[in-house]
């Protein structure tokens, strides 16, 4: 489609319109069957108890997502500190550690039976990450055994986090060079040992690699052999940017997202070839504090489009990481303030609620996205996204005309914010259908704003400003 000249009207620079026909049934390029709640959370291992008991917003933010889909979002508990943690059966506390500064993550910690008791109370499915780096197999088996016996909601167990970063002086390496081949052999061996002690198959979330090289799911799955029977799913980790590469415009770019995730296509296919699903067990916008982009509304827009594109690629769940409480730029909520990215997660969940397939209507080479969303073979929603990066001045917009509509009117809800770089903690909150989420509680505030658009001759036209998204209900 050709984007033509721009017109200035009402403070918006309007581009020549785009037209998309809504297929009456899912096209061949549509996603596979979607799970009920593909948008999940990953809680850093040492912070998990505090998130659940000391941060009031946690339960409400998760319930908000549950209220949209009827299913609690999946939870993964893990991260860097899972490979610093040792299980202690005699500990009376969920976690025990000390740090010089509350903003720091501990270099070592212990956790006790209460950790699993707390995890068992969550009403959704939970993946637990356990230690492999310290090479204490007996300790990890003891923890895994208690997790399995305590948690009816246990989905899977990870054995180690991002082994790409293990070193030759880590105990698991046994003084030898740590390589992809060494990791693959270690994973298969541990999977068999843990699963045998649990009398379980299909319980391991395998891989947990950062990126796709030098360790990969394609490589691991090829090396698994009979150990593949112990695998429930294969897991990738992805952070598109870091503090040194932070560029919000690139992050939220529709075509940029397509380019960034392309390398994971082979990973998903490799998992599926072994008869296993693929998940993104840990992901977020940027590592090392995010260079200022992670707490922004634009990062929320990235979440929205990123989820849609990953599901089209074939993954089954996307777990967004929440790190150290009080020192987490990409977190969706904290003790005192909401994070703008939560708005994108909420809107993505809203779009996918009660759907079983999605299809891209554009070719993912421009700034403009259109997704048809299906239930039982019929279109029920369309998601429109204008990823042009807006920070100040005249705000451009794009018109989208949808054809193939059968009703007389449709309704829509809009995700918008002052500009892409706006932040909740600077009193620049986005809105979802006119509503916000209260700082400190995550309760929904304000009246819902629903837009109504008339259909003429089977088509309707919608305007979406730069750095905005619109969800159309058919």
């Amino acid at each position: 489609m050709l984007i033509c000249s721009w017109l200035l009207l009402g403070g918006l620079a309007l581009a020549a319109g785009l037209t998309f026909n809504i297929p009456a049934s899912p096209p061949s390029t549509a996603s596979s069957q979607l799970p009920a709640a593909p948008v999940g959370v990953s809680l850093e291992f040492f912070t998990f108890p505090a998130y659940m008991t000391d941060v009031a917003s946690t339960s409400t933010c998760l319930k908000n997502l549950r209220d949209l889909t009827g299913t609690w979002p999946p939870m993964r508990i893990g991260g860097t500190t899972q490979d610093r943690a040792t299980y202690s059966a005699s500990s009376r506390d969920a976690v025990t550690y000390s740090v010089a500064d509350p903003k720091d993550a501990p270099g070592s910690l212990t956790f006790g039976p209460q950790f699993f008791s707390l995890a068992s109370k969550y009403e959704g499915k939970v993946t637990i990450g356990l230690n492999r780096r310290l090479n204490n197999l007996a300790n990890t088996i003891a923890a895994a055994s208690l997790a399995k016996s305590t948690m009816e909601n246990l989905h899977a167990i990870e054995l180690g986090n991002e082994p790409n970063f293990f070193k030759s002086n880590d105990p698991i390496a046994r003084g030898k060079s740590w390589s992809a081949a060494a990791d693959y052999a270690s994973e298969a061996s541990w999977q068999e040992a843990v699963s045998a002690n649990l009398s379980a198959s299909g319980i391991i979330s395998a891989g947990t690699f950062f990126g796709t090289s030098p360790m990969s799911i394609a490589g691991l799955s090829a090396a698994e052999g009979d150990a593949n029977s112990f695998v429930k799913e294969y897991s990738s980790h992805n952070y598109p940017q870091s503090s040194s590469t932070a560029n919000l415009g690139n992050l939220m770019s529709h075509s940029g997202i397509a380019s960034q995730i392309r390398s994971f296509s082979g990973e998903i296919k490799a998992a599926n070839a072994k008869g296993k699903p693929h998940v993104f067990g840990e992901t977020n916008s940027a590592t090392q504090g995010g260079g200022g982009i992670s707490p922004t509304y634009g990062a929320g827009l990235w979440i929205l489009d990123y989820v849609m594109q990953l599901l089209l690629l074939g993954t089954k769940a996307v777990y967004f990481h929440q790190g150290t409480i009080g020192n987490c730029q990409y977190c969706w909520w904290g003790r005192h303030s909401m994070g703008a990215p939560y708005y994108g997660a909420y809107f993505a969940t809203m779009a996918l609620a009660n759907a079983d397939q999605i299809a891209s209507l554009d070719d993912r080479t421009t700034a403009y996205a259109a997704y048809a969303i299906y239930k039982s073979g019929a279109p029920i929603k369309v998601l429109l996204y204008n990823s042009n990066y807006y920070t100040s001045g005249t705000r451009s917009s794009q018109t989208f005309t949808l054809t193939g509509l059968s009703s007389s009117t449709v309704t829509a809800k809009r995700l918008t914010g002052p500009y892409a770089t706006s932040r909740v903690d600077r009193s620049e909150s986005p809105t979802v259908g006119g509503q916000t989420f209260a700082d400190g509680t995550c309760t929904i505030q304000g009246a819902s704003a629903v837009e109504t658009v008339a259909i003429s001759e089977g088509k309707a036209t919608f305007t979406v400003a730069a750095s905005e998204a619109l969800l159309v209900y058919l």
Side-chain angles (χ1 to χ4, degrees), residues 415-474:
L415 172 63
T416 190
Y419 34 85
T421 53
S422 59
R423 296 170 50 156
V424 174
D425 60 355
R426 294 176 179 170
S427 300
E428 302 160 343
S429 181
T431 57
V432 172
Q435 296 177 308
T436 60
F437 303 95
D439 289 337
T441 65
C442 201
T443 54
I444 298 173
Q445 300 184 116
S448 176
V450 179
E451 304 173 29
T452 301
V453 177
I455 295 173
S456 176
E457 299 180 345
K459 61 184 178 181
T461 298
F462 309 85
T463 300
V464 184
S467 304
E468 257 190 6
L470 187 73
L471 182 60
V472 182
Y473 294 83
L474 303 180

Side-chain angles (χ1 to χ4, degrees), residues 352-367:
L352 295 167
N354 302 311
D356 50 36
Q357 281 183 285
I358 61 171
S360 178
L361 303 179
D362 67 281
D363 62 8
R364 284 165 275 177
T365 63
T366 74

Side-chain angles (χ1 to χ4, degrees), residues 359-385:
S360 178
L361 303 179
D362 67 281
D363 62 8
R364 284 165 275 177
T365 63
T366 74
Y368 311 113
Y371 299 97
I373 302 169
Y374 293 86
K375 180 180 181 180
S376 302
I380 58 170
K381 304 170 197 171
V382 174
L383 175 64
L384 306 174
Y385 173 44

Side-chain angles (χ1 to χ4, degrees), residues 91-452:
S91 175
R92 295 185 177 182
D93 297 318
V95 289
T96 303
Y97 62 88
S98 62
V99 290
D101 186 320
K103 294 182 178 181
D104 292 339
S108 65
L109 64 151
T110 59
F111 62 104
Q114 288 300 314
F115 191 95
F116 299 118
S117 295
L118 184 60
S120 73
K121 295 177 182 177
Y122 181 59
E123 295 184 67
K125 293 293 185 180
V126 177
T127 295
I128 293 282
L130 299 177
N131 195 327
R132 183 160 56 96
R133 184 182 68 89
L134 295 182
N135 199 32
N136 190 339
L137 179 58
N139 187 262
T140 295
I141 288 173
S145 297
L146 187 61
K148 184 173 181 290
S149 65
T150 303
M151 298 174 59
E152 292 185 2
N153 58 347
L154 181 65
H155 173 73
I157 294 171
E158 295 177 358
L159 299 172
N161 176 74
E162 297 176 0
N164 321 49
F165 302 122
F166 290 177
K167 299 179 175 61
S168 60
N169 61 354
D170 284 328
I172 191 65
R174 299 178 180 177
K176 299 178 182 179
S177 176
W178 189 252
S179 63
D183 179 72
Y184 301 162
S186 171
E187 287 211 41
S189 174
W190 277 57
Q191 289 164 9
E192 182 174 7
V194 171
S195 298
N197 276 272
L198 271 56
S199 300
S201 61
I203 197 172
I204 304 298
S205 185
T208 70
F209 301 126
F210 187 103
T212 61
S213 179
M215 298 178 188
S216 68
I217 288 170
L220 173 63
S221 62
E224 284 275 3
D226 292 342
N228 185 65
S229 65
F230 306 122
V231 174
K232 186 176 189 70
E233 64 196 15
Y234 286 93
S235 173
S236 296
H237 291 186
N238 183 39
Y239 288 78
Q241 298 189 12
S242 68
S243 59
S244 61
T245 63
N247 183 305
L248 184 57
N250 290 345
L251 178 75
M252 58 183 274
S253 162
H254 179 54
S255 60
I257 293 170
S259 177
Q260 196 276 320
I261 66 174
R262 192 169 294 130
S263 64
F264 290 99
S265 176
E267 303 287 80
I268 295 169
K269 290 176 181 176
N272 295 165
K274 291 294 184 178
K276 307 295 181 179
H278 175 277
V279 302
F280 279 83
E282 180 182 324
T283 190
N284 221 310
S285 52
T287 62
Q288 302 164 341
I293 67 170
S294 290
T296 64
Y297 162 61
L301 291 169
W302 164 76
I303 287 173
L304 171 65
D305 196 24
Y306 179 65
V307 166
M308 302 302 156
Q309 295 205 42
L310 289 181
L311 292 174
L312 282 167
L313 209 59
T315 201
K316 291 300 183 182
V318 188
Y319 296 81
F320 289 89
H321 200 54
Q322 317 297 300
T324 305
I325 299 167
N327 189 27
C328 181
Q329 294 293 297
Y330 48 58
C331 280
W332 293 354
W333 65 84
R335 282 197 176 95
H336 309 296
S337 177
M338 288 300 300
Y342 181 73
Y343 287 75
Y346 186 87
F347 204 67
T349 303
M350 181 187 294
L352 295 167
N354 302 311
D356 50 36
Q357 281 183 285
I358 61 171
S360 178
L361 303 179
D362 67 281
D363 62 8
R364 284 165 275 177
T365 63
T366 74
Y368 311 113
Y371 299 97
I373 302 169
Y374 293 86
K375 180 180 181 180
S376 302
I380 58 170
K381 304 170 197 171
V382 174
L383 175 64
L384 306 174
Y385 173 44
N386 181 344
S387 72
N388 279 321
Y389 180 58
Y390 172 70
T391 56
S392 63
T394 299
R395 192 168 193 168
S396 65
S397 69
Q398 178 63 51
T399 60
F400 295 79
T401 297
L402 303 181
T403 65
L405 304 175
S406 57
S407 59
S408 59
T409 62
V410 293
T411 59
K413 289 190 175 184
R414 190 175 300 267
L415 172 63
T416 190
Y419 34 85
T421 53
S422 59
R423 296 170 50 156
V424 174
D425 60 355
R426 294 176 179 170
S427 300
E428 302 160 343
S429 181
T431 57
V432 172
Q435 296 177 308
T436 60
F437 303 95
D439 289 337
T441 65
C442 201
T443 54
I444 298 173
Q445 300 184 116
S448 176
V450 179
E451 304 173 29
T452 301

